[in-house]
Amino acid sequence: MVAVIDSTKPHSARFWNYFVGGTDHYEVDRRIGDEIKGIFPGLVDVAVAGRLFLGRAVRHLAGEAGIRQFLDIGTGLPTADNTHQVAQQVAPDARIVYVDNDPVVLEHANALLTSTPQGATTYLEADLHRPEAVLEAAAGTLDLSRPVALMILNTLGHVADHDQALDLVGRLLAGLPAGSHLVISDSTATSEGMIAASEAYNASRAVPYHVRSIGEIAGFFDGLDLVDPGIVQVPEWRPDTHGPTDPATAAVDAYCGVGRKP
């Protein structure tokens, strides 16, 4: 079945790809992107900071935490330093499963399906709203009796109801063993600019994205052991003095955390 891509309305993966300097976007994505830059230029910093956080979190998990399996839900469009690339630089035997249910991402899946000979990288077309099905499919590549890093970056905002989002994350974690880690980052309703940007994006006919409070982001980690420094603005999570930095991302309307399942 050929994936159908609608280029007449904005798309979150293409929109974000535009903000982080990728090339997989259409005029409609650039138009709303430029409109939102005019409303709230800081959203570009959120996108850049989120990408840098992914790298720091994965390097920590594959290195210090010794994680060798990653389940990345809400993959988005590939740019540089994707989860598998970062993880396998640290641990060549790392195994990564990417999950998305979007035809745009599916069209670019071949760009993700690369791996070191020692490890594995797989793309699954699956839906966050069916967590048990996601886990069942991921078990074809990952050993779910061993710790897994569950990564859900800039994705949970697509679940409008917070209680439903909590339930989905809880059901995913329930299928993973002790020692697994949860990694989340999302935009937050922490400034008038971010709230205005969210409203403009949601009015653009794109699939809505709902920004949450810091407390709601923290709620996803209830019952987990938070990894220092806890729930913080994205650039404040273990700044990497040896990696890429951007002075513009010193403070952003996005929070993140990493938690370990006891």
Side-chain angles (χ1 to χ4, degrees), residues 23-63:
T23 58
D24 296 310
H25 38 74
Y26 297 136
E27 174 60 30
V28 67
D29 308 300
R30 296 188 288 274
R31 192 182 309 125
I32 186 61
D34 290 339
E35 177 185 338
I36 288 177
K37 284 181 187 178
I39 297 170
F40 181 55
L43 193 58
V44 177
D45 296 334
V46 169
V48 172
R51 200 68 190 172
L52 297 177
F53 165 68
L54 179 152
R56 297 196 305 275
V58 171
R59 283 193 293 274
H60 163 74
L61 291 168

Coordinates of all heavy atoms in Angstrom, one line a residue, residues 23-63:
T23 N 15.5 19.1 5.5 CA 15.1 19.5 4.1 C 13.8 18.8 3.7 O 13.3 19.0 2.6 CB 16.2 19.0 3.1 OG1 16.4 17.6 3.2 CG2 17.5 19.8 3.4
D24 N 13.2 18.1 4.6 CA 12.0 17.3 4.3 C 10.7 18.1 4.7 O 10.1 17.7 5.7 CB 12.0 15.9 4.9 CG 13.1 15.1 4.3 OD1 13.3 15.0 3.1 OD2 13.9 14.5 5.1
H25 N 10.4 19.1 4.0 CA 9.2 19.9 4.3 C 8.7 20.6 3.0 O 9.4 20.7 2.0 CB 9.5 21.0 5.4 CG 10.9 21.6 5.2 ND1 11.2 22.5 4.2 CD2 12.0 21.4 5.9 CE1 12.4 22.9 4.3 NE2 13.0 22.2 5.3
Y26 N 7.4 21.0 3.1 CA 6.8 21.6 2.0 C 6.5 23.1 2.2 O 6.7 23.6 3.4 CB 5.5 20.9 1.6 CG 5.6 19.5 1.2 CD1 4.8 18.5 1.7 CD2 6.6 19.1 0.3 CE1 4.9 17.2 1.3 CE2 6.7 17.8 -0.1 CZ 5.8 16.8 0.4 OH 6.0 15.5 0.0
E27 N 6.0 23.8 1.2 CA 5.8 25.2 1.4 C 4.8 25.5 2.5 O 4.9 26.4 3.3 CB 5.2 25.8 0.0 CG 4.7 27.2 0.1 CD 5.9 28.2 0.5 OE1 7.0 27.9 0.2 OE2 5.5 29.2 1.1
V28 N 3.8 24.6 2.6 CA 2.8 24.9 3.7 C 3.4 24.7 5.1 O 3.0 25.5 6.0 CB 1.6 23.9 3.5 CG1 2.0 22.4 3.8 CG2 0.4 24.3 4.4
D29 N 4.4 23.9 5.2 CA 5.1 23.7 6.5 C 5.9 25.0 6.8 O 6.0 25.5 7.9 CB 5.9 22.5 6.5 CG 5.1 21.2 6.1 OD1 4.2 20.9 6.8 OD2 5.5 20.6 5.1
R30 N 6.6 25.4 5.7 CA 7.5 26.6 5.9 C 6.6 27.9 6.2 O 7.0 28.7 7.0 CB 8.3 26.8 4.7 CG 9.3 25.7 4.4 CD 10.3 26.0 3.3 NE 9.7 25.9 2.0 CZ 9.5 24.8 1.3 NH1 10.0 23.7 1.7 NH2 9.0 24.9 0.1
R31 N 5.4 27.9 5.6 CA 4.6 29.1 5.8 C 4.1 29.2 7.2 O 4.2 30.3 7.8 CB 3.4 29.0 4.8 CG 2.6 30.3 4.8 CD 1.3 30.1 3.9 NE 1.7 29.6 2.6 CZ 1.2 28.5 2.0 NH1 0.2 27.8 2.7 NH2 1.5 28.0 0.9
I32 N 3.6 28.1 7.8 CA 3.2 28.2 9.2 C 4.4 28.3 10.1 O 4.4 28.9 11.1 CB 2.3 26.9 9.6 CG1 1.8 27.1 11.0 CG2 3.1 25.6 9.5 CD1 0.9 28.3 11.2
G33 N 5.5 27.7 9.7 CA 6.8 27.8 10.5 C 7.2 29.3 10.6 O 7.5 29.8 11.6
D34 N 7.2 30.0 9.4 CA 7.6 31.4 9.4 C 6.6 32.3 10.2 O 6.9 33.2 10.9 CB 7.7 31.9 8.0 CG 8.9 31.3 7.3 OD1 9.8 30.8 8.0 OD2 8.9 31.2 6.0
E35 N 5.3 31.9 10.1 CA 4.2 32.6 10.8 C 4.5 32.5 12.3 O 4.4 33.5 13.1 CB 2.9 32.1 10.5 CG 1.7 32.8 11.3 CD 0.4 32.1 11.0 OE1 0.2 31.5 9.9 OE2 -0.5 32.3 11.9
I36 N 4.8 31.3 12.8 CA 5.0 31.1 14.2 C 6.3 31.7 14.6 O 6.4 32.2 15.8 CB 5.0 29.6 14.5 CG1 3.5 29.1 14.4 CG2 5.5 29.3 15.9 CD1 3.3 27.7 14.6
K37 N 7.3 31.7 13.8 CA 8.6 32.4 14.1 C 8.3 33.9 14.4 O 8.9 34.5 15.3 CB 9.6 32.3 13.0 CG 10.3 31.0 12.8 CD 11.3 31.1 11.7 CE 11.9 29.7 11.4 NZ 12.8 29.8 10.2
G38 N 7.3 34.5 13.7 CA 7.0 35.8 13.9 C 6.2 36.0 15.2 O 6.4 37.1 15.9
I39 N 5.4 35.0 15.6 CA 4.7 35.1 16.8 C 5.6 34.8 18.0 O 5.6 35.5 19.1 CB 3.5 34.1 16.8 CG1 2.5 34.4 15.8 CG2 2.8 34.0 18.2 CD1 1.5 33.4 15.5
F40 N 6.4 33.8 17.9 CA 7.3 33.3 19.0 C 8.5 32.7 18.4 O 8.6 31.5 18.2 CB 6.5 32.3 19.8 CG 7.2 31.7 21.0 CD1 7.8 32.6 21.9 CD2 7.4 30.4 21.2 CE1 8.5 32.1 23.0 CE2 8.1 29.9 22.2 CZ 8.6 30.7 23.2
P41 N 9.6 33.5 18.2 CA 10.8 33.0 17.6 C 11.4 31.9 18.5 O 12.2 31.1 18.0 CB 11.7 34.2 17.6 CG 10.8 35.4 17.6 CD 9.6 35.0 18.4
G42 N 11.1 31.9 19.8 CA 11.7 30.9 20.7 C 11.4 29.5 20.4 O 12.0 28.6 20.9
L43 N 10.3 29.2 19.6 CA 10.0 27.8 19.2 C 11.1 27.2 18.5 O 11.3 26.0 18.6 CB 8.7 27.8 18.5 CG 8.1 26.4 18.4 CD1 7.9 25.7 19.7 CD2 6.8 26.4 17.6
V44 N 11.9 27.9 17.7 CA 13.0 27.4 17.0 C 14.1 26.9 18.0 O 14.7 25.8 17.8 CB 13.7 28.4 16.0 CG1 14.9 27.9 15.4 CG2 12.7 28.9 15.0
D45 N 14.3 27.7 19.1 CA 15.2 27.3 20.1 C 14.7 26.0 20.8 O 15.5 25.1 21.2 CB 15.4 28.4 21.1 CG 16.0 29.6 20.6 OD1 16.7 29.5 19.5 OD2 15.7 30.7 21.1
V46 N 13.4 25.8 21.0 CA 12.8 24.6 21.5 C 13.2 23.4 20.7 O 13.6 22.4 21.2 CB 11.3 24.7 21.7 CG1 10.7 23.4 22.0 CG2 11.0 25.7 22.8
A47 N 13.1 23.6 19.4 CA 13.4 22.5 18.4 C 14.8 22.1 18.5 O 15.2 20.9 18.6 CB 13.0 22.8 17.0
V48 N 15.7 23.1 18.5 CA 17.2 22.8 18.5 C 17.6 22.2 19.8 O 18.3 21.2 19.9 CB 17.9 24.1 18.2 CG1 19.4 23.9 18.5 CG2 17.7 24.6 16.8
A49 N 17.0 22.8 20.9 CA 17.4 22.3 22.2 C 16.9 20.8 22.4 O 17.6 20.0 23.0 CB 16.8 23.2 23.3
G50 N 15.8 20.5 21.9 CA 15.3 19.2 22.0 C 16.1 18.2 21.3 O 16.3 17.0 21.8
R51 N 16.7 18.6 20.1 CA 17.5 17.7 19.4 C 18.8 17.4 20.2 O 19.3 16.3 20.2 CB 17.8 18.3 18.0 CG 18.3 17.3 17.0 CD 17.2 16.3 16.6 NE 17.7 15.2 15.8 CZ 17.0 14.2 15.5 NH1 15.7 14.1 15.9 NH2 17.5 13.2 14.8
L52 N 19.4 18.5 20.8 CA 20.6 18.3 21.5 C 20.4 17.4 22.8 O 21.2 16.6 23.2 CB 21.2 19.7 21.9 CG 21.6 20.6 20.8 CD1 22.1 21.9 21.3 CD2 22.6 19.9 19.9
F53 N 19.2 17.6 23.4 CA 18.9 16.8 24.6 C 18.8 15.3 24.2 O 19.3 14.4 24.9 CB 17.5 17.2 25.2 CG 16.9 16.2 26.1 CD1 17.5 16.0 27.3 CD2 15.8 15.5 25.8 CE1 17.0 15.1 28.2 CE2 15.2 14.6 26.7 CZ 15.8 14.3 27.9
L54 N 18.2 15.0 23.0 CA 18.2 13.6 22.6 C 19.6 13.0 22.6 O 19.8 11.9 23.2 CB 17.6 13.5 21.2 CG 17.5 12.1 20.6 CD1 16.3 12.1 19.6 CD2 18.8 11.7 19.8
G55 N 20.5 13.7 22.1 CA 21.9 13.2 22.0 C 22.5 13.0 23.4 O 23.1 12.0 23.7
R56 N 22.3 14.0 24.3 CA 22.9 13.8 25.6 C 22.2 12.7 26.4 O 22.9 11.9 27.1 CB 22.7 15.1 26.4 CG 23.4 16.3 25.8 CD 23.5 17.5 26.8 NE 22.2 17.9 27.3 CZ 21.4 18.8 26.7 NH1 21.7 19.3 25.5 NH2 20.3 19.2 27.3
A57 N 20.9 12.6 26.3 CA 20.2 11.5 27.0 C 20.6 10.1 26.5 O 20.9 9.2 27.3 CB 18.7 11.7 26.9
V58 N 20.7 10.0 25.2 CA 21.1 8.7 24.6 C 22.5 8.3 25.0 O 22.8 7.2 25.3 CB 20.8 8.6 23.1 CG1 21.4 7.4 22.5 CG2 19.3 8.7 22.8
R59 N 23.4 9.3 24.9 CA 24.8 9.0 25.3 C 24.9 8.6 26.8 O 25.7 7.7 27.1 CB 25.7 10.2 25.0 CG 26.0 10.5 23.6 CD 27.1 11.5 23.4 NE 26.7 12.8 23.8 CZ 26.1 13.7 23.0 NH1 25.8 13.3 21.8 NH2 25.8 14.9 23.4
H60 N 24.1 9.2 27.6 CA 24.1 8.8 29.0 C 23.6 7.4 29.2 O 24.2 6.6 29.9 CB 23.2 9.8 29.9 CG 22.9 9.2 31.2 ND1 23.7 9.1 32.3 CD2 21.7 8.6 31.6 CE1 23.1 8.5 33.3 NE2 21.9 8.2 32.9
L61 N 22.5 7.1 28.5 CA 21.9 5.8 28.7 C 22.7 4.7 28.1 O 22.9 3.6 28.8 CB 20.5 5.8 28.0 CG 19.4 6.6 28.7 CD1 18.2 6.8 27.8 CD2 19.1 6.1 30.1
A62 N 23.3 4.9 27.0 CA 24.1 3.9 26.3 C 25.5 3.7 27.0 O 26.1 2.7 27.0 CB 24.3 4.2 24.8
G63 N 25.9 4.8 27.7 CA 27.2 4.8 28.3 C 27.1 4.5 29.8 O 27.2 3.3 30.2

